[in-house]
């Protein structure tokens, strides 16, 4: 049984690039718990809050429930559910799962494989991260689910992930934006080497975002993370979106985030392709959280 192939081919609801990371997040959480103490069962009522927190932070903008993946992951052969009354899930309803005392666990065959091949856990986790989330979130997500991976497991993409990134994208995007953050203008260097500047995919690579300049932004490390978390976005007229859900009272939060609302992007230079509308729209619908703030008073 090829557990890596099963991991790469989790059945998910999808349409036109819609994000549905519910099953990957549950499986990452279960792998983290297994690595920590090989816990046999995860009672829904005990882990519901943890799973909801993961969905809120790393899932799509629309509200959703962990009951859905808890029930439906069974169909992928990596997970099983039983209740106080015996094997089988009572359904995908929150109240049903709570009332029945539903508990889930990794499939016994998978648990046996993980004990035989300890490196399998890291490979499965790497596939889930690479296929469903941008690299800027991998470290935070591993920490959130309690996964500790060996350096070799956090380096190269798994062989199951066939598509390869274009290593030239970073240089092309940074050149197009003249080595300045498109949101704040930061352009720090040590000697001739830029520091703290990164090439961000607007439409995530994991969701068929191309390694093209018109799908990229040169962003400082802070704004790249906030962009991938849905705090920041790019709206009509290539102006910065700042989520109304973002809360920050410090001068730093106001200066570096809130004051960006409705500012025009800095760059790209003449002749370089700006962010394509199709990629902007994907990010706004699948990553950006809530409604944008109006421009702040000068």
């Amino acid at each position: 049984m090829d557990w890596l192939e099963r991991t790469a081919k989790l059945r998910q609801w999808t349409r036109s690039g819609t994000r549905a990371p519910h099953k990957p997040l549950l499986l990452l959480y279960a792998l983290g718990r297994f690595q920590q103490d090989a816990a046999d069962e995860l009672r829904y009522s005990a882990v519901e809050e943890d799973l909801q927190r993961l969905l809120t932070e790393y899932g799509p903008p629309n509200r959703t429930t962990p009951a859905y993946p808890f029930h439906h992951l069974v169909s992928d052969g990596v997970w099983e559910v039983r209740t106080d009354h015996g094997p089988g899930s009572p359904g995908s309803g929150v109240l049903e799962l709570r009332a029945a005392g539903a508990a889930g666990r990794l499939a016994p065959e998978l648990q046996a494989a993980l004990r035989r091949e300890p490196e399998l856990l890291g490979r499965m986790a790497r596939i889930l991260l690479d296929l469903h989330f941008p690299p800027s979130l991998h470290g935070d997500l591993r920490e959130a689910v309690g996964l500790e991976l060996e350096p070799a497991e956090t380096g190269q993409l798994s062989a199951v992930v066939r598509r390869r990134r274009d290593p030239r994208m970073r240089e092309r995007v940074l050149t197009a934006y003249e080595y300045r953050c498109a949101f704040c203008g930061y352009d720090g260097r040590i000697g001739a080497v830029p520091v703290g500047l990164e090439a961000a995919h607007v439409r995530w690579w994991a969701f068929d975002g191309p390694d093209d300049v018109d799908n990229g932004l040169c962003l400082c490390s802070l704004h790249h993370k906030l962009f991938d978390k849905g705090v920041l976005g790019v709206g009509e007229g290539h102006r910065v979106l700042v989520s109304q859900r973002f809360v920050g009272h410090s001068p730093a939060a106001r200066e570096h985030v809130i004051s960006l609302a409705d500012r025009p992007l800095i760059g790209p230079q003449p002749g370089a392709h700006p962010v394509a509308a199709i990629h902007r729209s994907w990010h706004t619908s699948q990553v950006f959280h809530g409604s944008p703030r109006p421009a702040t008073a000068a």
Side-chain angles (χ1 to χ4, degrees):
M1 187 174 297
D2 193 331
W3 295 107
L4 298 183
E5 288 287 344
R6 287 199 177 194
T7 302
K9 295 179 179 178
L10 294 180
R11 289 189 286 273
Q12 300 172 82
W13 185 87
T14 180
R15 182 182 65 193
S16 303
T18 299
R19 292 182 62 217
H22 309 68
K23 288 182 177 181
L25 284 169
L26 173 57
L27 186 51
L28 279 169
Y29 181 83
L31 290 171
R33 289 289 294 267
F34 183 87
Q35 185 184 58
Q36 291 169 38
D37 55 15
D40 194 34
E41 290 189 332
L42 301 176
R43 201 167 183 87
Y44 180 78
S45 58
V47 301
E48 181 181 6
E49 186 175 337
D50 285 351
L51 296 175
Q52 185 62 64
R53 190 179 303 115
L54 286 173
L55 279 170
T56 299
E57 187 165 357
Y58 297 98
N62 53 298
R63 262 192 90 72
T64 186
T65 169
Y68 176 87
F70 203 92
H71 168 76
H72 287 288
L73 187 60
V74 172
S75 65
D76 294 279
V78 297
W79 178 253
E80 67 177 27
V81 176
R82 60 182 295 114
T83 69
D84 293 338
H85 311 294
S89 172
S92 59
V94 172
L95 298 180
E96 295 170 286
L97 290 168
R98 290 175 184 165
R105 65 175 182 174
L106 297 176
E109 298 89 346
L110 174 54
Q111 291 193 39
L114 291 170
R115 292 188 178 99
R116 285 195 311 270
E117 307 171 59
E119 70 278 5
L120 176 61
L121 188 147
R123 291 175 181 169
M124 291 177 63
R126 186 73 224 175
I127 288 171
L128 293 168
L129 292 168
D130 287 333
L131 287 179
H132 303 285
F133 306 95
S136 69
L137 301 184
H138 289 185
D140 291 348
L141 190 43
R142 290 198 306 269
E143 184 175 342
V145 299
L147 273 171
E148 293 186 10
L149 303 185
E150 296 297 323
E153 295 167 341
T154 60
Q156 297 297 317
L157 296 176
S158 165
V160 177
V161 182
R162 307 298 180 189
R163 189 165 158 246
R164 291 292 181 267
R165 298 177 187 272
D166 184 346
R168 299 166 298 174
M169 181 191 176
R170 179 179 184 274
E171 186 62 28
R172 291 203 307 265
V173 170
L174 267 59
T175 298
Y177 285 84
E178 301 181 289
Y179 295 85
R180 295 181 300 171
C181 174
F183 289 170
C184 69
Y186 168 82
D187 60 355
R189 296 173 181 262
I190 292 181
V193 180
V195 290
L197 286 172
E198 301 165 357
H201 281 77
V202 179
R203 183 187 181 106
W204 292 354
W205 183 87
F207 287 83
D208 299 320
D211 289 329
D212 298 332
V213 170
D214 70 357
N215 186 41
L217 284 171
C218 175
L219 297 177
C220 67
S221 300
L222 170 65
H223 290 138
H224 187 179
K225 179 64 70 67
L226 296 180
F227 186 65
D228 285 345
K229 280 288 189 78
V231 172
L232 300 175
V234 179
E236 295 295 330
H238 294 87
R239 303 184 83 86
V240 182
L241 303 179
V242 178
S243 173
Q244 288 186 336
R245 295 184 186 176
F246 175 80
V247 176
H249 301 293
S250 67
R254 291 197 298 270
E255 178 183 353
H256 298 302
V257 183
I258 295 172
S259 69
L260 298 177
D262 204 41
R263 280 192 197 173
L265 292 186
I266 300 169
Q269 63 176 285
H273 295 291
V275 179
I278 190 171
H279 303 319
R280 288 193 288 107
S281 297
W282 182 88
H283 186 276
T284 301
S285 66
Q286 298 301 313
V287 181
F288 185 74
H289 281 270
S291 302
R293 289 173 173 264
T296 57

